[in-house]
Every structure is written in C-alpha cells, then in structure tokens.
Amino acid sequence: PVVLQYMRTAIEYIQNHLDEKITLNDIADICGLSPCYFSTIFSIHAGCSFSAYLRNKRIQMACRKLDTTEETFASIAFECGFCAVSAFQRAFKENTGLSPGEYKKRSLV
C-alpha cells in the first residue's frame, strides 16, 4: 500500500538525518503530501505524533552515545539533532525519567 511506502520513506529519512533539523513540513514535502495529511497518517501508523517519534529516536541515539562514548553532553546533544543543550536535557529527562548525567552514572555501574 502507498501509505506504508510514505511511512518507510519518512522513517528512513529520519533515521539518516537525526543530527539535522527535521520538520514535519520537510518530511511531508519529501513524501509529496500535505503536512496535515502526513501528520495524520504518521500518527495513525507510528502510534505517536511525528514530533514525539523524532524526539524518541534522538533520545535513543543519545542513550547509545552515552553508553559507548565519553563525549560531552553538549556534543551529544548537537550530534543527536538538538538545537540547545537545555532542550536535550529537558527531552532526555521527559523520555527516560533521568537527566543525561544520571543516565550516564547508571550505565557505568
């Protein structure tokens, strides 16, 4: 089905560009859909909003980096597509229940 192809295109793009600024309008345009329609089908098929999906993927990437590197939180934040360290810290805490520092300490245990 065509809708699944849109989803594959969107998810692949997100995965390959997590470190860049990505907007719903950008992805809708890549899929050749209106932002409103894309948002609706994405939410239905992904089970969450586009912004929540993007944030979750970025936090997953940050967790992998926290587990495997000694990079600074600022470096990780920007490599994972966050425009500010404070936005990264806030999103990380909302998604994991821990600050990046608390997460890093737990992963060292």
Side-chain angles (χ1 to χ4, degrees):
V2 175
V3 170
L4 294 180
Q5 182 58 44
Y6 294 141
M7 290 298 294
R8 277 193 290 278
T9 299
I11 289 168
E12 183 178 311
Y13 185 87
I14 291 166
Q15 196 62 43
N16 292 329
H17 299 273
L18 275 175
D19 60 334
E20 300 171 19
K21 180 181 178 196
I22 303 172
T23 67
L24 183 132
N25 288 348
D26 294 336
I27 303 292
D29 191 47
I30 288 166
C31 292
L33 302 172
S34 74
C36 185
Y37 182 63
F38 173 77
S39 179
T40 300
I41 66 168
F42 191 92
S43 294
I44 290 168
H45 291 280
C48 61
S49 69
F50 169 78
S51 60
Y53 181 87
L54 180 60
R55 184 180 57 246
N56 290 339
K57 290 300 176 184
R58 287 180 166 159
I59 296 300
Q60 288 172 5
M61 181 181 183
C63 287
R64 285 191 302 276
K65 288 186 172 289
L66 287 167
D67 288 339
T68 61
T69 71
E70 294 300 320
E71 295 179 54
T72 66
F73 298 147
S75 177
I76 290 171
F78 296 121
E79 287 178 26
C80 294
F82 289 92
C83 58
V85 176
S86 59
F88 166 64
Q89 291 172 325
R90 185 174 48 257
F92 196 94
K93 179 106 180 185
E94 287 174 6
N95 277 44
T96 67
L98 302 169
S99 70
E102 292 167 335
Y103 181 90
K104 183 74 174 173
K105 285 179 189 171
R106 282 193 177 180
S107 70
L108 295 174
V109 176

